[in-house]
Amino acid sequence: MEILKTNTLRFLLMVGLLTITSAMFAQKTVSGVVEDEESNTLPGVNVTIKGTTEGTITDSKGQYSIQVPGNDAVLVFSFVGYMKEEIPVGDRTKIDVALFPDIESLSEIVVIGYGVTKKEDATGSVQAIDSRDFNVGAITAPQDLLTGKVAGVQITSNSGAPGEGSTIRIRGGSSLSASNDPLIVVDGVPLAGGGISGSRNPLNAINPNDIETFTILKDASATAIYGSRASNGVILITTKKSEVGSELKVNYNGKLNVYSSNKRVDVLGADEFRSLIEERHPTHVDMLGNASTDWQDEIYQNAMGTEHNVSIAGAYKMLPFRASVGYSNNDGILKTDNNERFSGSLNLNPSFLDDHLKININAKASVTNNTFADRGAIGAAIQHDPTQPVNWDTTFTGIPILGETDWGGYYARLQSNGQPVQLATANPVALLEQRDDKSTVNNFIGNAKIDYKFHFLPELRANLNLGYDYSKGEGDVYVPQNAAFAYNSGHGGGTDNTYTQIKKNELLDFYLNYVKEISAIDSKIDAMAGYSYQYFLDDSYGVNSNVANDSSETTYPDNPKELVLLSFYGRLNYTLANKYLLTFTLRNDQTSRFSPDTRSGMFPSIALGWKIHEESFLSNVDALSQLKLRLGWGVTGQQDIGPDWYVYMPRYTYSLPGASYLFGNTYYQTIRPSGYDENIKWEETTTYNAAIDYGFLNDRITGSVDIYLRKTKDLLNYIPVPAGSNLTNYINTNVGDLENKGVEFSINAKPISTPDMVWDVGLNVTYNENKITKLTLSDDPDYLGVPTGGISGGVGSNIQIHSVGQPFSSFFVYEQIYDDNGDPIPGAFVDQNGDGQITESDKVHKENPTPDVSLGINTGFSYKNWYFSFSGRANFGNYVYYNAESVNGTYQRLYRPEGPYLSNVTTGVYDSEFENAYYMSDYYLRNASFFRMDNISLSYKFNNIANQGINLTVTGTVNNAFVITKYDGIDPEISGGIDNNFYPRPTAYVLGVNVNF
Amino acid sequence: MKYLIKLTAILLGSVFVYTSCIDDLDTEPIDPDETTASAVFDEPGAYKAFLAKMYAGLAVSGQQGPAGMPDISGIDEGFSQYLRAYWEHQVLTTEEAIIGWDDQTIKDFHRQEWGSSDNFIAAMYYRIYYQITLANEFLRATTEDKLDERGESDQTKAEVAQYRNEARFLRALSYWHALDLFGGGVPFVTEDDPIGSFMPSPINKQNLFEFIESELLAIEDDITAVGANEYGRADQGAVWTLLAKLYLNAEVYINQDKYTECVTYSKKVIDEGPYTLEDNYEHLFLADNDHLQEVIFSINFDGIETRTYGGTTFIISAALGGDIPPAEFGLGGGWAGTRTTKALVNKFDANDGRALFYDESYGQALEINDESDFQQGYAVGKFKNVTSTGAPGSDVTYPDTDFPMFRLADVYLMYAEAVLRGGSGGTVGQSVIYINYLRQRAYGDASGDINSGDLTLDFILDERARELYWECHRRTDLIRYDRLTGGDYVWPWKGDIPEGTATDDKYNLFPLPAADVNANTNLDQNPDY
């Protein structure tokens, strides 16, 4: 009996031991590598065992190793910005995982003024666009990355020249005389507005490849924190940085661009021109030539460009860094036009004291060399007599030539004494080739940001940002004495100008930020208070001279000016139950521009947010992943009233050469007291904004709808003051009100999202209308308004007007009367007031250059290693005045007595049959609604070439592929609405290569 | 504890930074070409430079030649220049000239069809008031008290006292232009008014006439003696001539007969002044027409030092074009705008040397069927940028030619007219002698002489055209004879009809600019505008 009990015990023990052992043997180690969708390794990924709190994190190489209890364990991989993956272990010991970006949470953290927030907690109208969404192709100017991507933001390039600047408008303009440009902040440093001499675009100093994100702040509750400079919206630019623990990444990005355009103004050919002169000016046929020249073809070319960018990012011990160098060189389709840029950037962001002290140092420098083609060649090419050759040829041996010169070999119309006819059309090719107009712009933007989380109070953070922005633009213009278009019989002619402009901006920004979760009341408080000091200096000087550098030279001496802006600001964010959000900001700005009595301005804002989808009554609606209501109100200011930085002070100005006066036998310099307004003060804009942010199907579809109303009062306007009351007739003073209202709608959807195939589509639509509600101190109904919109044709003619009750820059024209065939009757306009005369009172307000509705559409489709995308834009309701036609489409242009010389006409003259010019007729006002395909792109990615971990992507892009419009001028997209010899925008064919090492 | 100390240090540091930076808001101009009002008169020569600006305001358009840093805004700088605007108002509205350009409403001048939003009229108006406020500011800045405050020497005080007289002359001149062009309902400001935003009150014809008269009489004996001042500056001769003009037109302005006073002052100019007629009529309008004995007061230009797109640059360049060789005008090229009508051309006899026209032999037709065609209407070659020896001026774009605003020939004619209208102190016989001086210069001999039977008011009106055409007198003369508007006297394109037609009497005055009537609710617009 005893033996049996012992045996059973032993057996049970053995079974038990076996069981335990086998269980012990079931526990194993699983390891592997985690990568992202581009096969880059991902450090810092959380790897946890589902249902437990055990876990680990991937190392700097993305590798992990974890003990799992058995084959039925499930590993959960999660990382901020990426979709969570749950993978059953099974019998594997090596599990490699690829994580895919989470659409919504990629924009989870957005940069706002002085800080960051989660997008879902943002109460203002904030839109972030990061490098994945940027426009592709031949992009030299940073703002082109954004065109068409954001509702409410209109970016119109100023011409087709390489590296050209753009007009950026956020929710329409809110000023008349003051600047309508948004404030641009680069890594926390607000840039001085305006450009610099010699530069095509002040933003070109930043290489687009170095930009990580654009954040656009649209409504006052988002922008009020920038107070006095924020009335037109704020664009925050953040440059690329590296993270702690990253491994070394090297990237090369190269592009080859080919530009071409076949856009031409339709003018008469040589034979047609010849017969028209013979018919209408038979006494002047001796002025015709024997050649047949298409002048527009002579000035345009197919152009090439190239771009190379190299960047290295990584971390050296505790110092993450990113360094980049870039080179781009683009020719323009107008011959001799060129833009070349060398750029470099360095970014360091180490953190010390266990992440309590974070330092971020950014430095960006660039050297841009521009060669400016004389754009007068565009107008000259339209007007030049087509029967003359580009260069003198043997048929001209009979013409006497002055002295030894043959004017550089270029044809020029000459008088009988051999001197050029002064007012004749210049030879367009001579204008391009004989004029040497170059500039170099050096630019440096740097800042150092120190962020310290207090050890004794970790909820409190101090942030100090010191910034410095320096630009110097220098250039010269040289035209030789033998250029016919610059001839001067008295002084030898030619041009020898030099110019320099220096701008400096120094910033000191300091704020304290306190964030505390108070679970007792289910609340979170985020409070911030700060101080900002910014100093601006602007100086320019130069010499305008002829080649002989004689007494007709004019020197523009040094004229430096300074501006100081000082502010105190604070913000309070209160969140209740993670559902109800309140933001309150207040900023006090002081500027040296205004007198001590008026220089201080207070700019408050309040915003409310309600995360409706977090409410219990919506928790069962699975399809709705996000629904947030945002209401905002805020007041912002504007004090950028133009080039005079001391406008409130009485000052005297000395005269420059050429404005002296003779007493006896001596010429005296004069001094002049300037007009001033000592009461000048801020323009204020109040914005009301209501919006819904929505998301469906787990954020597969997201978007927002915004409705806004902006009212500007105390508009700074350059208006006539009562004669005799001041020392000049127009003063910049506060008088006038303006209103802007509109709706923005945007939607982004990801119809297909699988590991092999992704398709996303985005659409944004904006409707905006503006109206001037007050212009002068008294409201005289007979007062027509302030003329604006200068055109060619007569001197000082204006085609637009700012009037009360109308959108600003409305066209102000005579209504043309047409006959039964639909042809205009020359000189016949509707007599609006029936007084038998056609005068200013018969002009009507008709349309305006700003579109009523603008739309952007973009889509991308990827299948395995292929990626196809296109992005396009449309404007509706924008009108353009076709000035090139109103000047050149009349028969009286054929013979010009002020030369005399012959001038070409457009084929439009056969439609209008106008003998004389009627610049003010609405016959020339055209609907320029359009749809433009901004880019179409196809790329293929080669992964892990030669097993070295090198990825290569090859992309082909077409920029400005086509434009659909009824407008028959060169281009319907013209900021300001006046088409006067517009420099065509080329189509660009780009081959790009992107290599990651 | 350590951290608290650090925190306090940071906060204290920020306070220091804050207090020093707040003062930075009081910036002052650092541009060497600009000074504040308190520092400007510390420079020697500042007073004379300010005086020079008041004269230069008639010649240039801003502080930079030919353009840049304009004095007034809202209109092209060339258009806004004083003399150019004055010429357009006084000459283009009469039979003396017509212009072919399409610049805004410029054709309304010769058509007599202008309205209150006309930019050229606004430019003239604002220019006049620019001169007036400039003079007011000068007078405010140079009172006895202010000079004492700055501790100026007696010599400086004496010079400045003379400058003040000249400032008052220039202000009276501009107020006279205002009265003549715009009537009496114009705003009135003197050195007793402030600078800032307020609405000046309008004056009336009687008071404005009396103000101008009293100002001129007040400075008459204090200002530099006749002919004794530097060339370019006003003296007694200028004051007397302006008084004579004021009195000659008194019937138009205030319905009073002041012809005796006109004779008195004309005589003072003729008898007490050192003025004599220039031998050669043409020399009065050429590049070297400075320092001439006939000229009482001129506006001066120079191809290098006093450059503008208005002034004589405009007068000469606009008249040149078509087949006329630019070298004859001393310019590189012309602007082909202004010509004259046959109404002026037909006033001249074949032997009158003052008829300086370019006719059919240069491709210019006499008849004007198309206002815009430069080659219709004889071109006028009176003002040129060549010297009396035929050499070109110092620059082929900006002439050296000065503009004679007041000259002796004008005073002879005023004397004669005042006598004929009943002014005492002069005789018809003396008038005939003076007129014949002019005729002898014009004809080169006595063949054009007149006798007292020929001397009628109509003759004087025509003779003024022959002698003084294009010198900015015509409109005032025609109004005095009541022939500017209405149907009594028509010429080509008056009233926008090729043969000319009657025009409304309202055009005897220009309208106050709509912009000012709107900005200043105290003003009333001139009748029927």
Side-chain angles (χ1 to χ4, degrees):
Chain A
M1 219 38 207
E2 261 179 1
I3 300 163
L4 199 65
K5 269 191 194 163
T6 323
N7 280 345
T8 323
L9 260 169
R10 258 197 229 128
F11 176 74
L12 283 171
L13 201 59
M14 257 170 40
V15 169
L17 274 170
L18 273 170
T19 321
I20 294 168
T21 325
S22 67
M24 269 170 57
F25 284 168
Q27 195 176 50
K28 62 183 182 182
T29 305
V30 176
S31 63
V33 173
V34 182
E35 289 181 343
D36 70 8
E37 83 286 9
E38 284 177 6
S39 309
N40 295 322
T41 56
L42 278 178
V45 176
N46 283 308
V47 186
T48 47
I49 303 175
K50 188 166 182 182
T52 75
T53 53
E54 286 169 34
T56 182
I57 301 186
T58 57
D59 65 10
S60 61
K61 294 201 172 62
Q63 293 169 341
Y64 74 93
S65 175
I66 190 173
Q67 290 268 12
V68 300
N71 289 354
D72 47 7
V74 176
L75 288 176
V76 179
F77 297 83
S78 65
F79 187 55
V80 163
Y82 290 82
M83 296 193 289
K84 222 162 46 170
E85 290 286 338
E86 295 185 359
I87 303 192
V89 172
D91 49 14
R92 298 178 285 178
T93 52
K94 185 147 188 2
I95 301 178
D96 291 334
V97 179
L99 292 184
F100 289 88
D102 189 354
I103 327 112
E104 169 58 26
S105 51
L106 243 198
S107 34
E108 194 175 65
I109 305 282
V110 285
V111 179
I112 54 171
Y114 307 103
V116 296
T117 189
K118 285 207 271 181
K119 173 108 170 86
E120 57 183 22
D121 289 342
T123 48
S125 234
V126 175
Q127 182 120 22
I129 305 283
D130 71 23
S131 43
R132 283 162 225 270
D133 298 320
F134 288 163
N135 281 318
V136 293
I139 307 275
T140 329
Q143 70 274 7
D144 293 342
L145 297 169
L146 272 186
T147 317
K149 299 290 176 178
V150 184
V153 178
Q154 278 277 97
I155 300 179
T156 312
S157 67
N158 292 335
S159 82
E164 187 76 342
S166 303
T167 307
I168 305 176
R169 292 288 172 261
I170 299 179
R171 294 192 167 175
S174 60
S175 298
L176 284 185
S177 311
S179 167
N180 272 320
D181 296 331
L183 177 67
I184 302 195
V185 180
V186 179
D187 288 329
V189 182
L191 300 184
I196 189 162
S197 305
S199 164
R200 297 179 196 263
N201 174 23
L203 283 182
N204 282 355
I206 307 170
N207 187 335
N209 277 278
D210 292 331
I211 298 180
E212 175 71 58
T213 327
F214 283 95
T215 310
I216 294 116
L217 309 180
K218 291 189 277 187
D219 74 337
S221 58
T223 60
I225 197 69
Y226 283 103
S228 67
R229 305 173 67 187
S231 276
N232 295 306
V234 181
I235 298 181
L236 305 173
I237 298 179
T238 320
T239 54
K240 289 180 178 163
K241 295 171 182 38
S242 190
E243 295 293 328
V244 172
S246 315
E247 60 174 32
L248 194 69
K249 290 190 205 139
V250 179
N251 172 282
Y252 166 78
N253 183 299
K255 291 193 186 129
L256 185 66
N257 312 324
V258 175
Y259 303 98
S260 82
S261 168
N262 58 358
K263 300 277 185 202
R264 304 279 182 265
V265 175
D266 243 330
V267 293
L268 301 185
D271 292 330
E272 261 184 294
F273 185 75
R274 201 170 274 119
S275 42
L276 213 55
I277 298 284
E278 281 161 8
E279 178 195 317
R280 293 174 153 265
H281 297 275
T283 51
H284 295 297
V285 286
D286 55 344
M287 292 169 76
L288 290 167
N290 297 323
S292 174
T293 313
D294 183 340
W295 287 101
Q296 289 180 78
D297 270 351
E298 295 293 335
I299 61 169
Y300 292 121
Q301 62 181 1
N302 289 336
M304 302 247 317
T306 160
E307 219 183 287
H308 306 281
N309 292 291
V310 177
S311 75
I312 302 176
Y316 177 69
K317 298 205 183 144
M318 290 305 290
L319 183 68
F321 67 92
R322 180 178 181 274
S324 76
V325 290
Y327 173 76
S328 76
N329 188 327
N330 286 291
D331 284 336
I333 52 167
L334 187 61
K335 286 182 181 165
T336 71
D337 222 358
N338 177 276
N339 174 283
E340 179 189 46
R341 174 181 60 209
F342 299 86
S343 66
S345 81
L346 178 66
N347 174 284
L348 304 166
N349 48 340
S351 73
F352 307 104
L353 304 180
D354 197 20
D355 259 9
H356 276 248
L357 182 65
K358 291 193 209 162
I359 299 185
N360 187 339
I361 298 179
N362 296 301
K364 289 167 283 295
S366 71
V367 177
T368 310
N369 293 321
N370 282 306
T371 305
F372 296 101
D374 187 344
R375 294 189 199 184
I378 299 175
I382 295 170
Q383 294 185 333
H384 204 288
D385 178 353
T387 64
Q388 309 294 353
V390 177
N391 302 105
W392 299 109
D393 61 26
T394 51
T395 61
F396 281 91
T397 47
I399 299 282
I401 292 175
L402 194 67
E404 295 293 307
T405 184
D406 67 346
W407 310 107
Y410 299 99
Y411 165 80
R413 182 165 296 283
L414 303 177
Q415 300 174 43
S416 51
N417 64 1
Q419 293 184 13
V421 174
Q422 229 180 35
L423 288 175
T425 317
N427 181 326
V429 180
L431 276 178
L432 294 175
E433 294 181 358
Q434 283 186 303
R435 183 185 171 98
D436 189 25
D437 187 352
K438 292 191 157 69
S439 77
T440 303
V441 182
N442 298 319
N443 186 280
F444 173 81
I445 304 176
N447 74 307
K449 205 184 292 200
I450 301 167
D451 198 287
Y452 175 65
K453 222 178 347 186
F454 286 86
H455 275 96
F456 61 90
L457 191 63
E459 293 92 355
L460 181 66
R461 194 167 63 87
N463 182 298
L464 176 70
N465 193 5
L466 301 166
Y468 184 72
D469 173 15
Y470 173 85
S471 326
K472 180 174 185 184
E474 296 177 288
D476 45 67
V477 181
Y478 182 79
V479 177
Q481 284 178 300
N482 70 350
F485 57 85
Y487 178 73
N488 181 307
S489 62
H491 295 283
T495 307
D496 190 3
N497 297 343
T498 56
Y499 57 88
T500 308
Q501 186 174 12
I502 297 175
K503 281 169 99 154
K504 252 198 315 195
N505 149 12
E506 297 168 0
L507 170 79
L508 184 147
D509 220 338
F510 176 76
Y511 68 85
L512 292 167
N513 183 228
Y514 180 76
V515 182
K516 180 99 177 143
E517 298 231 10
I518 307 175
S519 43
I521 47 173
D522 198 12
S523 306
K524 181 170 139 193
I525 294 186
D526 182 342
M528 188 265 294
Y531 161 82
S532 173
Y533 170 90
Q534 204 167 13
Y535 167 82
F536 301 86
L537 176 73
D538 188 338
D539 190 6
S540 54
Y541 48 90
V543 177
N544 281 357
S545 171
N546 56 5
V547 169
N549 271 317
D550 62 12
S551 58
S552 58
E553 144 184 321
T554 319
T555 308
Y556 299 91
D558 234 8
N559 64 336
K561 51 190 186 184
E562 303 176 309
L563 176 67
V564 173
L565 297 176
L566 204 92
S567 345
F568 300 93
Y569 50 88
R571 175 171 57 216
L572 175 66
N573 269 318
Y574 177 73
T575 313
L576 179 63
N578 203 20
K579 276 190 275 189
Y580 308 105
L581 312 155
L582 167 74
T583 307
F584 174 70
T585 71
L586 183 63
R587 178 159 170 140
N588 171 242
D589 268 319
Q590 313 206 23
T591 174
S592 66
R593 243 192 178 110
F594 302 145
S595 82
D597 295 328
T598 52
R599 64 167 48 132
S600 176
M602 292 291 259
F603 304 102
S605 84
I606 294 187
L608 298 166
W610 180 18
K611 291 203 237 180
I612 310 178
H613 63 276
E614 299 277 2
E615 291 289 356
S616 50
F617 57 80
L618 280 184
S619 59
N620 289 329
V621 184
D622 276 338
L624 188 69
S625 52
Q626 205 197 133
L627 188 65
K628 183 166 83 181
L629 173 71
R630 283 186 280 116
L631 297 170
W633 167 88
V635 180
T636 50
Q638 171 65 285
Q639 49 88 58
D640 191 357
I641 53 175
D644 190 349
W645 290 3
Y646 304 94
V647 70
Y648 73 93
M649 263 188 250
R651 286 153 296 147
Y652 281 78
T653 316
Y654 288 90
S655 66
L656 292 181
S660 312
Y661 201 73
L662 178 71
F663 286 156
N665 291 313
T666 315
Y667 286 96
Y668 286 84
Q669 191 184 29
T670 68
I671 52 171
R672 170 185 77 183
S674 307
Y676 62 95
D677 175 8
E678 55 187 358
N679 293 322
I680 197 164
K681 62 181 164 83
W682 306 99
E683 237 177 46
E684 280 187 2
T685 303
T686 307
T687 312
Y688 305 86
N689 193 73
I692 303 253
D693 294 330
Y694 60 86
F696 297 103
L697 305 175
N698 202 20
D699 280 354
R700 283 278 284 268
I701 301 176
T702 58
S704 54
V705 184
D706 277 68
I707 294 183
Y708 61 88
L709 170 65
R710 271 147 53 104
K711 287 182 163 182
T712 310
K713 71 173 178 52
D714 286 330
L715 257 188
L716 282 164
N717 197 7
Y718 201 49
I719 58 152
V721 286
S725 67
N726 209 317
L727 293 162
T728 183
N729 66 330
Y730 269 71
I731 294 274
N732 248 328
T733 188
N734 300 93
V735 60
D737 293 335
L738 179 67
E739 225 176 65
N740 252 310
K741 49 186 168 194
V743 181
E744 290 165 6
F745 172 78
S746 71
I747 183 167
N748 289 292
K750 217 172 178 106
I752 302 175
S753 174
T754 69
D756 272 347
M757 195 156 53
V758 177
W759 179 28
D760 50 331
V761 187
L763 172 74
N764 61 74
V765 184
T766 311
Y767 167 77
N768 178 283
E769 73 175 56
N770 71 75
K771 186 161 72 167
I772 298 175
T773 45
K774 185 160 177 262
L775 254 193
T776 53
L777 291 167
S778 59
D779 280 313
D780 183 348
D782 291 328
Y783 180 58
L784 292 173
V786 180
T788 182
I791 58 169
S792 273
V795 177
S797 305
N798 286 305
I799 197 74
Q800 294 166 339
I801 192 168
H802 295 318
S803 302
V804 177
Q806 301 286 340
F808 61 73
S809 293
S810 293
F811 289 103
F812 196 49
V813 289
Y814 293 120
E815 236 184 291
Q816 181 72 51
I817 298 181
Y818 296 82
D819 64 20
D820 295 325
N821 298 329
D823 295 322
I825 303 176
F829 306 116
V830 174
D831 185 0
Q832 307 284 350
N833 57 5
D835 64 350
Q837 280 185 331
I838 300 293
T839 61
E840 286 286 292
S841 342
D842 296 310
K843 282 191 178 169
V844 289
H845 298 91
K846 189 167 173 184
E847 307 296 345
N848 65 79
T850 334
D852 299 321
V853 177
S854 46
L855 192 144
I857 181 164
N858 46 74
T859 183
F861 181 80
S862 75
Y863 175 68
K864 297 209 172 135
N865 289 351
W866 291 94
Y867 183 68
F868 172 77
S869 72
F870 69 77
S871 159
R873 239 168 351 113
N875 278 354
F876 300 100
N878 54 315
Y879 275 71
V880 167
Y881 171 77
Y882 197 2
N883 201 184
E885 180 70 38
S886 70
V887 170
N888 297 308
T890 61
Y891 287 113
Q892 53 129 351
R893 287 296 306 171
L894 288 170
Y895 172 76
R896 303 305 313 154
E898 67 268 16
Y901 61 95
L902 300 176
S903 184
N904 205 349
V905 295
T906 57
T907 51
V909 74
Y910 295 134
D911 295 325
S912 67
E913 288 289 322
F914 282 166
E915 292 289 336
N916 290 323
Y918 299 101
Y919 303 111
M920 301 295 159
S921 165
D922 71 350
Y923 173 73
Y924 297 109
L925 193 59
R926 309 279 165 88
N927 188 329
S929 302
F930 68 90
F931 173 80
R932 169 172 259 128
M933 182 57 78
D934 278 328
N935 49 67
I936 306 177
S937 169
L938 179 66
S939 68
Y940 184 81
K941 183 169 177 184
F942 300 90
N943 274 329
N944 207 359
I945 297 180
N947 255 325
Q948 297 289 336
I950 301 174
N951 301 321
L952 168 74
T953 311
V954 179
T955 315
T957 312
V958 181
N959 286 118
N960 192 15
F962 59 84
V963 179
I964 302 173
T965 180
K966 271 209 200 116
Y967 179 67
D968 54 358
I970 292 248
D971 195 312
E973 190 180 352
I974 301 188
S975 174
I978 296 174
D979 182 355
N980 193 1
N981 303 327
F982 188 72
Y983 186 142
R985 296 191 178 92
T987 305
Y989 303 91
V990 183
L991 180 67
V993 166
N994 189 313
V995 188
N996 280 312
F997 298 91
Chain B
M1 193 55 207
K2 258 200 302 189
Y3 297 114
L4 274 173
I5 296 175
K6 261 197 209 159
L7 183 61
T8 327
I10 294 172
L11 285 172
L12 278 174
S14 336
V15 169
F16 282 124
V17 167
Y18 155 80
T19 45
S20 67
C21 287
I22 276 272
D23 290 337
D24 282 359
L25 287 169
D26 291 319
T27 51
E28 282 209 346
I30 48 176
D31 183 343
D33 285 328
E34 266 203 343
T35 28
T36 53
S38 43
V40 66
F41 293 111
D42 294 338
E43 290 290 315
Y47 296 106
K48 196 162 190 184
F50 197 161
L51 180 73
K53 177 61 193 174
M54 286 189 279
Y55 284 98
L58 299 171
V60 296
S61 52
Q63 287 301 81
Q64 195 178 320
M69 299 165 74
D71 295 326
I72 65 177
S73 314
I75 189 163
D76 171 79
E77 214 180 316
F79 290 7
S80 79
Q81 195 276 319
Y82 199 112
L83 178 59
R84 175 169 174 167
Y86 192 53
W87 194 94
E88 287 164 356
H89 285 65
Q90 290 283 98
V91 176
L92 266 187
T93 51
T94 70
E95 80 278 53
E96 287 186 350
I98 183 172
I99 194 163
W101 296 338
D102 291 318
D103 302 331
Q104 300 178 55
T105 51
I106 203 170
K107 285 196 167 97
D108 286 350
F109 282 120
H110 68 248
R111 293 173 181 170
Q112 289 190 12
E113 266 189 351
W114 54 79
S116 63
S117 22
D118 189 303
N119 261 335
F120 299 99
I121 297 176
M124 178 84 260
Y125 180 88
Y126 285 120
R127 263 290 161 204
I128 287 174
Y129 277 90
Y130 182 73
Q131 288 295 104
I132 292 170
T133 46
L134 209 56
N136 287 342
E137 184 70 7
F138 183 82
L139 293 171
R140 268 190 291 267
T142 55
T143 57
E144 192 70 39
D145 290 337
K146 288 258 167 70
L147 293 174
D148 282 336
E149 247 176 64
R150 295 184 205 121
E152 302 291 0
S153 69
D154 285 337
Q155 191 203 358
T156 308
K157 284 195 196 173
E159 283 169 5
V160 173
Q162 264 313 331
Y163 301 159
R164 289 174 63 88
N165 289 331
E166 292 174 47
R168 291 170 78 180
F169 168 76
L170 289 172
R171 180 174 65 180
L173 178 68
S174 286
Y175 265 126
W176 171 62
H177 289 154
L179 176 64
D180 191 62
L181 295 167
F182 295 100
V186 292
F188 184 68
V189 285
T190 64
E191 69 269 33
D192 299 325
D193 291 299
I195 293 270
S197 358
F198 68 99
M199 296 199 258
S201 303
I203 195 172
N204 59 53
K205 284 182 158 178
Q206 183 70 32
N207 289 342
L208 185 55
F209 182 94
E210 285 172 10
F211 174 78
I212 299 169
E213 182 187 16
S214 65
E215 281 288 293
L216 292 170
L217 291 175
I219 61 177
E220 181 190 351
D221 294 317
D222 201 41
I223 201 171
T224 321
V226 58
N229 208 342
E230 292 184 285
Y231 178 68
R233 289 171 60 180
D235 60 14
Q236 235 175 5
V239 173
W240 290 336
T241 312
L242 185 53
L243 276 167
K245 281 212 172 286
L246 194 67
Y247 291 133
L248 185 65
N249 291 293
E251 199 149 3
V252 174
Y253 302 141
I254 53 172
N255 225 339
Q256 284 176 36
D257 175 333
K258 296 258 182 192
Y259 299 114
T260 306
E261 287 87 338
C262 177
V263 173
T264 313
Y265 281 96
S266 307
K267 278 183 66 163
K268 279 194 175 181
V269 173
I270 297 169
D271 297 334
E272 294 177 46
Y275 309 111
T276 57
L277 288 183
E278 188 66 20
D279 288 335
N280 185 324
Y281 179 78
E282 286 183 57
H283 290 180
L284 286 163
F285 314 104
L286 297 179
D288 55 353
N289 65 349
D290 52 299
H291 293 89
L292 294 181
Q293 277 303 108
E294 182 174 341
V295 178
I296 301 168
F297 180 64
S298 63
I299 304 176
N300 304 327
F301 299 89
D302 181 76
I304 310 288
E305 301 284 355
T306 311
R307 294 173 150 189
T308 175
Y309 287 118
T312 49
T313 311
F314 163 75
I315 297 176
I316 300 177
S317 305
L320 170 64
D323 297 333
I324 304 168
E328 287 194 22
F329 274 55
L331 295 178
W335 302 349
T338 49
R339 313 84 77 192
T340 189
T341 68
K342 64 183 180 188
L344 178 66
V345 174
N346 291 342
K347 292 197 201 307
F348 290 88
D349 281 339
N351 296 322
D352 192 334
R354 298 170 294 188
L356 302 165
F357 302 120
Y358 286 88
D359 58 17
E360 288 84 355
S361 56
Y362 284 88
Q364 304 288 121
L366 183 62
E367 295 289 338
I368 305 174
N369 296 315
D370 180 357
E371 305 154 291
S372 307
D373 187 348
F374 177 76
Q375 296 192 306
Q376 293 184 21
Y378 282 0
V380 175
K382 178 163 167 168
F383 288 90
K384 300 207 194 83
N385 186 30
V386 289
T387 65
S388 44
T389 53
S394 59
D395 189 280
V396 296
T397 311
Y398 310 107
D400 297 332
T401 316
D402 296 344
F403 182 82
M405 179 159 260
F406 295 150
R407 60 185 175 96
L408 184 62
D410 184 14
V411 182
Y412 283 157
L413 286 161
M414 285 201 280
Y415 175 96
E417 188 179 336
V419 165
L420 277 186
R421 289 187 184 268
S424 37
T427 65
V428 171
Q430 186 60 254
S431 307
V432 170
I433 294 174
Y434 290 149
I435 303 280
N436 281 334
Y437 287 156
L438 302 179
R439 309 275 296 180
Q440 280 148 26
R441 173 174 66 182
Y443 284 79
D445 55 27
S447 60
D449 280 15
I450 58 160
N451 54 49
S452 50
D454 298 319
L455 192 65
T456 62
L457 280 176
D458 280 352
F459 173 83
I460 290 183
L461 183 63
D462 283 345
E463 190 63 18
R464 284 185 72 84
R466 286 186 284 263
E467 179 67 33
L468 303 169
Y469 69 95
W470 280 38
E471 291 176 55
C472 299
H473 299 291
R474 195 58 179 168
R475 175 186 156 275
T476 310
D477 293 342
L478 284 178
I479 290 179
R480 196 165 60 246
Y481 283 73
D482 198 16
R483 295 192 196 171
L484 179 72
T485 59
D488 288 343
Y489 179 37
V490 298
W491 57 83
W493 289 99
K494 173 177 174 179
D496 204 6
I497 309 274
E499 309 77 45
T501 183
T503 55
D504 193 306
D505 278 346
K506 76 179 184 190
Y507 294 113
N508 280 323
L509 281 182
F510 288 97
L512 304 184
D516 206 40
V517 174
N518 182 272
N520 184 347
T521 50
N522 291 334
L523 297 179
D524 288 319
Q525 181 58 271
N526 281 338
D528 295 329
Y529 278 112

